[in-house]
Amino acid sequence: KLDNGFFPTTGQGLQALVEKPAGGPELKRWKEGGYLERIPKDPWGNDYIYISPGIHNKDYDIISYGQDGEQGGEGADADIVSWDLQGTK
């Protein structure tokens, strides 16, 4: 956001942090070489779900579906969502 004035769109996804996306709004000041070497997986080896703009009054939402990799669940299978983390704004 600091370089381009906005976060990558949902369509550009987190991959926009690794390689410059071809579609969506033009990233005129995208950092050569990217921002990450690779997109990390959640603690269970699953892809994170990324939505931007977020649907919870945030610039973006990031979701892990927990150990089972499916929406919902309890305990280790419960979803972990960026808008419900302690200490975040």
Side-chain angles (χ1 to χ4, degrees):
K1 181 176 180 178
L2 290 174
D3 286 345
N4 292 287
F6 54 91
F7 289 100
T9 65
T10 300
Q12 292 170 328
L14 293 173
Q15 191 61 32
L17 301 174
V18 176
E19 57 189 34
K20 187 174 182 179
E26 183 180 0
L27 304 175
K28 295 179 182 180
R29 293 177 37 197
W30 189 83
K31 179 181 166 188
E32 188 64 37
Y35 299 89
L36 298 172
E37 289 182 22
R38 62 179 177 75
I39 301 303
K41 302 282 187 176
D42 74 8
W44 300 278
N46 300 312
D47 291 332
Y48 287 101
I49 291 88
Y50 172 78
I51 303 167
S52 180
I55 55 176
H56 294 278
N57 298 319
K58 305 285 184 185
D59 290 324
Y60 59 85
D61 294 338
I62 298 179
I63 305 164
S64 165
Y65 284 152
Q67 183 175 357
D68 65 357
E70 296 181 18
Q71 189 172 4
E74 296 180 15
D77 293 337
D79 298 349
I80 301 168
V81 295
S82 60
W83 61 89
D84 196 27
L85 298 174
Q86 296 294 324
T88 60
K89 295 182 178 183

